[in-house]
Amino acid sequence: MDKNTCIFCKIANGEIPSATLYEDSMFRVILDLSPASKGHALILPKKHFENLFDMPEEEGKEILLLAKKVGTKLKEVLSCDGMNLIQNNGSSAGQTVFHFHMHLIPRNEGDDIKLNWEPGVLSEEVKQLILEKFTKE
């Protein structure tokens, strides 16, 4: 996928109208058309990156700062109790649009939004295997 066929590139760059909450030279933040909650927003970079691992470090740093800024404002505007920041990388992780984007999902006590998983157990064998491979130079 390239910027000529990517729907999020077109939205981020203003070719397709959106409910824009924030825009600067690098990003556009829009209200999600299929929201999990009232105020569910998406941070979209204007440059095309398939996922976090394709993105230069500088853009990655800026996205987290922007998520804090927009999330803080959403919490103020909506008087919500909390905020999920969700970012999926790859189809096996739930990514369906292959243009990096971060979800900001306002939350309230008892809102019945399900974003949980069943906790597993870290076995000693798996822990040692990962630590050994991860720290190996």
Side-chain angles (χ1 to χ4, degrees):
M1 182 179 302
D2 64 29
K3 66 181 181 177
N4 297 319
T5 58
C6 174
I7 188 84
F8 278 6
C9 280
K10 291 178 182 183
I11 294 169
N13 290 290
E15 296 172 41
I16 295 175
S18 63
T20 300
L21 296 174
Y22 174 88
E23 180 180 12
D24 63 23
S25 62
M26 294 174 63
F27 305 103
R28 183 181 297 259
V29 182
I30 64 168
L31 290 175
D32 195 309
L33 289 176
S34 300
S37 69
K38 181 170 89 175
H40 179 166
L42 298 175
I43 298 176
L44 306 173
K46 291 185 175 182
K47 291 182 186 174
H48 183 83
F49 307 107
E50 183 172 312
N51 59 45
L52 177 67
F53 305 109
D54 293 337
M55 181 181 294
E57 197 170 282
E58 190 57 37
E59 277 90 340
K61 290 177 186 177
E62 293 297 323
I63 282 178
L64 196 53
L65 294 173
L66 182 55
K68 180 180 179 183
K69 178 179 181 174
V70 173
T72 299
K73 183 68 174 181
L74 281 170
K75 285 182 71 173
E76 175 187 314
V77 167
L78 299 169
S79 299
C80 59
D81 300 326
M83 181 82 53
N84 286 110
L85 303 179
I86 299 176
Q87 201 282 304
N88 302 319
N89 296 281
S91 57
S92 63
Q95 186 177 10
T96 57
V97 178
F98 294 90
H99 177 111
F100 175 94
H101 56 287
M102 180 180 284
H103 296 262
L104 284 76
I105 303 175
R107 300 297 302 274
N108 287 293
E109 285 296 324
D111 63 16
D112 204 33
I113 296 170
K114 306 287 189 258
L115 300 174
N116 300 329
W117 56 87
E118 193 67 37
V121 175
L122 178 60
S123 72
E124 188 62 32
E125 179 184 349
V126 169
K127 178 178 82 175
Q128 290 305 321
L129 178 68
I130 293 170
L131 288 172
E132 180 181 308
K133 287 184 176 185
F134 191 83
T135 58
K136 193 175 190 177
E137 295 183 313

